Amino acid sequence: MLKSMTGFGRAEHTIGDKTFLADIKSLNGKQFELSLKIPAILKPFEFDIRRILSEQLSRGTVDCVISLKDTGSAKPVTINTSLAKAYYQPLAELSASLGLDPSHILSTLVKLPEVITPSSETLNEDEWKAFQGTLREAAGNLNQHRLHEGQSLEQDLLTRITNILYQQDEVARLEPLRQQKIREGITRLLEEKVGKENYDANRLEQELIYYIEKIDISEEQVRLKNHCEYFRSILQEPEDAKGKKLSFILQEIGREINTTGSKAYDSTIQKCVVLMKDELEKAKEQVLNVL
């Protein structure tokens, strides 16, 4: 089953007196690209968080936002006494020079930058292990969303390959008629230009065989069918990441379709080639979203 690169996952857990909310969104991308926003309490674990998401999500453009929700519990703070004293002296002098009541200086001091800051709290080992469960749950929910999206992608891709094979069958049906038309056309042209009695029929037959072999498309049709069947078999493989492999197979399918078109010299076969190219382009667009 296919996985899409598009998905969304969320998980929320309370760990001790902290409630974490993890939101993860992913879109298609050639590699794993992560935009990560985390609270200060998780900064020491940033590299571990990136590693876990890379292992869980494999590929895509990922946007992860982890927030620490307010639980209403008191949070420890740190008072920078040295900085407060440094602020106090010029404030006291200014208050005296302006004849102001110095009793309000303290309320002003605590509002100044860096005087009161949150403590450098971090997660302990047990809390970090519990948070990993929250992160993995959010990534797991995203992967479930990817699987659901992948089902639609798989059905669409199978339809495109089926349509290409249908046109390939049409080409195979038209191929003998094309050879006959080429043979009749060249013979008729010679009879009109030089007369039926004035050319060597055996030599003409040799030249026709050589010419028809040059524009023969049977090998291309065999390879095209094999590539399509291989594409279908890859869809059934259990591995998660198949997008790049499927893209490479579509390139090979495109080569066989293009060669068929360049050697066809037949309007009905060219119509089949155009329809195959149309289906191929739609398949290529969809494969860009496959993990």
Side-chain angles (χ1 to χ4, degrees):
M1 185 177 293
L2 287 187
K3 269 188 182 179
S4 169
M5 275 191 279
T6 303
F8 176 77
R10 167 178 285 186
E12 180 177 340
H13 282 260
T14 298
I15 303 169
D17 61 349
K18 307 171 189 68
T19 298
F20 290 98
L21 175 63
D23 285 320
I24 312 175
K25 177 179 67 177
S26 73
L27 299 171
N28 62 331
K30 291 184 178 180
Q31 306 296 332
F32 179 76
E33 299 178 16
L34 175 63
S35 172
L36 181 63
K37 295 180 181 178
I38 56 177
I41 196 172
L42 290 174
K43 284 293 183 182
F45 306 99
E46 179 174 352
F47 291 112
D48 292 305
I49 292 171
R50 289 181 177 275
R51 175 183 54 78
I52 291 170
L53 291 175
S54 176
E55 291 172 352
Q56 295 287 309
L57 304 180
S58 177
R59 186 167 164 241
T61 302
V62 179
D63 185 15
C64 177
V65 178
I66 301 170
S67 53
L68 181 60
K69 297 180 69 177
D70 186 5
T71 59
S73 60
K75 297 178 176 58
V77 296
T78 300
I79 299 177
N80 191 332
T81 307
S82 299
L83 183 60
K85 289 179 179 179
Y87 278 138
Y88 175 79
Q89 188 61 37
L91 286 175
E93 292 175 359
L94 179 62
S95 178
S97 66
L98 296 175
L100 300 175
D101 185 356
S103 62
H104 298 295
I105 293 179
L106 181 61
S107 62
T108 302
L109 274 176
V110 297
K111 297 176 183 177
L112 292 174
E114 306 298 328
V115 173
I116 296 181
T117 58
S119 66
S120 55
E121 184 184 11
T122 186
L123 301 183
N124 60 40
E125 190 63 29
D126 291 337
E127 290 174 328
W128 163 239
K129 288 180 180 178
F131 171 76
Q132 289 182 59
T134 305
L135 188 63
R136 293 181 189 278
E137 181 180 335
N141 291 336
L142 187 149
N143 277 326
Q144 285 300 313
H145 193 178
R146 282 178 160 185
L147 275 173
H148 180 71
E149 293 291 320
Q151 291 176 1
S152 300
L153 284 176
E154 183 172 349
Q155 288 304 314
D156 188 82
L157 287 170
L158 283 171
T159 299
R160 304 303 166 196
I161 294 300
T162 298
N163 291 342
I164 289 173
L165 286 171
Y166 174 79
Q167 296 301 327
Q168 187 267 336
D169 288 340
E170 283 294 294
V171 171
R173 183 181 65 83
L174 293 168
E175 169 65 0
L177 301 176
R178 178 188 73 125
Q179 294 185 14
Q180 185 62 30
K181 282 194 291 185
I182 291 172
R183 184 185 300 273
E184 291 174 354
I186 294 176
T187 303
R188 185 171 58 253
L189 184 64
L190 280 173
E191 289 177 355
E192 291 174 357
K193 296 299 183 181
V194 301
K196 187 174 182 179
E197 298 81 8
N198 297 325
Y199 66 85
D200 185 342
N202 291 329
R203 177 66 183 274
L204 172 61
E205 189 65 26
Q206 292 175 0
E207 293 296 331
L208 280 173
I209 292 172
Y210 174 74
Y211 178 70
I212 290 174
E213 283 181 349
K214 281 188 66 176
I215 61 171
D216 179 65
I217 55 175
S218 58
E219 289 186 10
E220 285 76 9
Q221 293 306 291
V222 169
R223 288 196 294 267
L224 175 59
K225 190 169 186 177
N226 288 340
H227 291 326
C228 289
E229 293 302 332
Y230 184 41
F231 189 94
R232 283 173 165 174
S233 69
I234 294 298
L235 291 179
Q236 304 306 315
E237 289 184 356
E239 64 179 295
D240 284 340
K242 307 176 187 177
K244 290 183 178 179
K245 188 183 292 186
L246 293 174
S247 180
F248 293 148
I249 300 172
L250 288 180
Q251 290 179 26
E252 295 302 317
I253 290 174
R255 287 192 182 95
E256 303 306 333
I257 293 174
N258 288 333
T259 306
T260 298
S262 65
K263 295 169 71 174
Y265 297 107
D266 183 89
S267 60
T268 52
I269 290 180
Q270 288 289 1
K271 290 178 183 178
C272 295
V273 168
V274 169
L275 292 173
M276 284 192 281
K277 286 184 176 181
D278 183 49
E279 296 295 330
L280 177 66
E281 288 306 310
K282 292 175 182 176
K284 284 182 176 179
E285 290 177 10
Q286 293 289 46
V287 162
L288 291 176
N289 296 314
V290 177
L291 183 66

